[in-house]
Amino acid sequence: MTTTFIFKNQVECSRPAQSREAGRTVPVSRGSAGTPRPTALTRIARWGGTGTVLLAALLLSGCSSLLPIQPAQVDATKYYTLSAPPAPAAVAAPAANAPKLMILRVEVPAYLQHRPFVTRLGPNEVKLIDDVRWAEPLDLGIAQALRERVAQLTGVYGMDSREMVRDYEVVVHVLHCEGEAVDGRGTVRFAAEVDLIKPGAKEVVAHRAFTAAPAAWDGHDYAALAQALSGAVSELAEAIVAAVPGK
């Protein structure tokens, strides 16, 4: 026996009332009128057509996979810069024949080339503080703070462009620029070596070793550490100007 179906588009098709599965006859599920029982999607197709079927399929498959909205993550990282002290209200201009000085470059050791702050825990152990960072590369920050402080000092002209004629160039080799926390005691550690160079002959006319005056640090206040290191850089600028011949 065959059963005839008439679909919405009036195409007539016939199929056996039974189907074969694995070599045996399987009865087709029928409704009360002897016709195959329609599925949910078949009913939707009769109501709204193919577009409605696709929309319903998406809704049925997606509603079970909806996940709760996660709250936005708050970035707790803190960023710091080095700075010169506030400029005085009035700065005396250098003499007309005062030496012209330029901070050429600052070099820092590899362990200080990371943005996170560094805390020294022992002679051979350092710790990087991931959520406390410098806002700029440390070598650039030190160079800028040095230029700002030199511009505040009398006795030299501070040059800030390679195009300007200058009498001396300064290269700074930073040895330490970090906080130190050993045996429960915290200190600020800053040391550097300075070369004063004649630009034309590339002659080193002065070499100075510099270590900042000791400063206490509680081992946790990184804003205070950045401020103390800024003070150490300002001391270095003063030592550089003091080493310039002919002031």
Side-chain angles (χ1 to χ4, degrees), residues 214-226:
W217 176 54
D218 66 2
H220 305 286
D221 188 343
Y222 293 99
L225 177 59

Side-chain angles (χ1 to χ4, degrees), residues 84-88 90-95 98-101 103 145-159 170 210 230-244 247:
V91 178
K100 299 176 177 63
L101 179 72
I103 306 297
L146 286 172
R147 293 186 186 103
E148 291 175 2
R149 182 56 179 153
V150 166
Q152 297 173 357
L153 300 173
T154 60
V156 297
Y157 283 102
M159 304 287 102
V170 178
F210 172 83
S230 294
V233 172
S234 292
E235 289 181 32
L236 174 60
E238 295 163 10
I240 291 171
V241 171
V244 175
K247 295 191 304 300

Side-chain angles (χ1 to χ4, degrees), residues 130-191:
D130 286 333
D131 57 352
V132 182
R133 294 173 173 256
W134 294 110
E136 60 188 339
L138 190 56
D139 57 340
L140 300 183
I142 293 173
Q144 182 60 31
L146 286 172
R147 293 186 186 103
E148 291 175 2
R149 182 56 179 153
V150 166
Q152 297 173 357
L153 300 173
T154 60
V156 297
Y157 283 102
M159 304 287 102
D160 57 5
S161 171
R162 292 176 181 267
E163 304 303 322
M164 295 180 175
V165 177
R166 62 262 189 193
D167 299 307
Y168 299 100
E169 296 174 343
V170 178
V171 176
V172 178
H173 309 275
V174 175
L175 305 177
H176 296 284
C177 183
E178 67 251 22
E180 186 175 82
V182 180
D183 298 329
R185 293 175 298 177
T187 56
V188 178
R189 191 173 186 183
F190 184 88

Side-chain angles (χ1 to χ4, degrees), residues 59-147:
L59 292 174
L60 291 173
S61 63
C63 63
S64 62
S65 61
L66 294 177
L67 297 176
I69 298 176
Q70 298 296 328
Q73 296 294 324
V74 178
D75 184 5
T77 305
K78 294 183 178 180
Y79 296 88
Y80 295 96
T81 62
L82 295 169
S83 62
V91 178
N97 62 344
K100 299 176 177 63
L101 179 72
M102 178 181 178
I103 306 297
L104 185 63
R105 68 178 181 273
V106 174
E107 300 172 352
V108 299
Y111 78 94
L112 290 175
Q113 293 175 9
H114 307 280
R115 291 294 183 90
F117 271 39
V118 172
T119 300
R120 182 168 292 277
L121 303 179
N124 305 108
E125 182 180 3
V126 295
K127 179 181 180 181
L128 274 62
I129 313 301
D130 286 333
D131 57 352
V132 182
R133 294 173 173 256
W134 294 110
E136 60 188 339
L138 190 56
D139 57 340
L140 300 183
I142 293 173
Q144 182 60 31
L146 286 172
R147 293 186 186 103

